[in-house]
Amino acid sequence: GERSNADQVSEKGARTVYQITPATRAGIQRLYGIDPWSSPQAAAEGAALVLRDSFKRTGSWDRAVTEYHGGLDPKGWGPRTRAYTPRVMGKL
């Protein structure tokens, strides 16, 4: 998301500056009653809730950011996901 703009749609259908995928959108709607695609404020709140929940589960901001980009299963984390976390966490 750090290199995205508000109108960008990824190859996986992710939208908003936070690049929220359709599956993540559905989860945010189900869990919190927020449509993160409805406004910039809702997108920010949805992204924050996803990161918060991941941090609570893992105890690690690095892991939370990695899960935000690549999903919960590390088997699905390719080079793009592995490069994402150090870049956005300022650890390059």
Side-chain angles (χ1 to χ4, degrees):
E2 87 288 3
R3 294 181 179 172
S4 303
N5 62 54
D7 299 322
Q8 187 170 341
V9 179
S10 79
E11 67 275 4
K12 294 189 178 191
R15 298 176 183 271
T16 82
V17 71
Y18 301 100
Q19 289 293 278
I20 297 170
T21 64
T24 300
R25 176 191 186 203
I28 292 168
Q29 289 175 306
R30 184 181 74 256
L31 292 170
Y32 305 109
I34 298 166
D35 181 356
W37 289 0
S38 67
S39 72
Q41 294 82 6
E45 185 174 5
L49 290 166
V50 168
L51 283 165
R52 179 202 66 188
D53 290 350
S54 184
F55 178 79
K56 282 183 175 181
R57 188 177 56 261
T58 66
S60 164
W61 284 115
D62 284 356
R63 178 72 181 234
V65 168
T66 304
E67 287 185 355
Y68 185 91
H69 186 269
L72 301 179
D73 185 358
K75 292 176 187 170
W77 298 349
R80 193 168 164 188
T81 293
R82 296 195 185 280
Y84 178 82
T85 301
R87 188 174 67 243
V88 301
M89 298 294 286
K91 296 181 177 183
L92 287 178

